[in-house]
């Protein structure tokens, strides 16, 4: 495993072992574009909807989406208090230098949108409708038209 990401206390090796034991059968989503031989070395971020999990922080106030708390989440899974499928693990991340992301948004490469907790935490492998298409459709208007035109 690549660690627990997002905090959670404990040594890196202890967190990685606990996360691997608790969530090893769960999908690992890619949080960036990496060659397959570089994925294993990426930082792992844990997202979930479990309020009050020690070591976790809410991503945006009132969103009900949290990052971190890997060691506490793994302990909750081991105790039978948390289903492993309620956690999303992401390897890697995309980052932009100051102003670069806004420039890409302004150019139409990305669309900023509010998203529900259920959409953010949805398992998105092998869906009948790709998650990006669902999100654009939910945004309505021109975005919904774009969802119908664009290829994945």
């Amino acid at each position: 495993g690549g660690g627990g990401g997002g905090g959670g206390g404990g040594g890196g090796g202890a967190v990685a072992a606990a996360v691997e034991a608790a969530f090893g059968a769960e999908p690992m989503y890619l949080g960036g574009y990496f060659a397959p031989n570089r994925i294993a070395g990426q930082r792992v971020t844990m997202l979930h909807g479990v309020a009050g999990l020690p070591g976790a922080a809410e991503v945006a106030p009132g969103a009900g989406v949290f990052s971190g708390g890997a060691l506490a989440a793994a302990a909750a899974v081991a105790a039978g208090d948390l289903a492993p499928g309620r956690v999303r693990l992401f390897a890697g991340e995309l980052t932009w230098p100051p102003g670069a992301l806004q420039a890409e948004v302004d150019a139409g490469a990305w669309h900023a949108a509010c998203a529900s907790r259920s959409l953010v935490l949805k398992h998105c492998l092998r869906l009948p409708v790709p998650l990006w298409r669902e999100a654009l459709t939910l945004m309505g208007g021109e975005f919904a038209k774009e969802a119908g035109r664009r290829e994945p």
Side-chain angles (χ1 to χ4, degrees), residues 1-103:
V15 174
V19 168
E20 176 71 25
F23 304 106
E26 294 301 309
M28 176 74 70
Y29 297 97
L30 297 181
Y33 305 107
F34 300 101
N37 63 341
R38 291 190 53 221
I39 293 170
Q42 299 302 314
R43 178 179 189 276
V44 174
T45 299
M46 176 181 284
L47 290 181
H48 54 83
V50 185
L53 191 65
E58 196 167 22
V59 174
V65 176
F66 302 85
S67 178
L71 198 55
V77 168
D81 296 331
L82 177 65
R86 291 188 55 204
V87 168
R88 303 292 170 272
L89 298 171
F90 294 86
E93 60 193 19
L94 289 177
T95 58
W96 288 261
L101 178 57
Q102 186 60 54

Side-chain angles (χ1 to χ4, degrees), residues 122-144:
K122 186 174 191 172
H123 278 286
C124 56
L125 300 177
R126 296 186 273 300
L127 293 174
V129 175
L131 189 59
W132 67 267
R133 192 178 302 257
E134 179 181 352
L136 286 177
T137 301
L138 289 168
M139 291 168 66
E142 290 300 315
F143 297 108

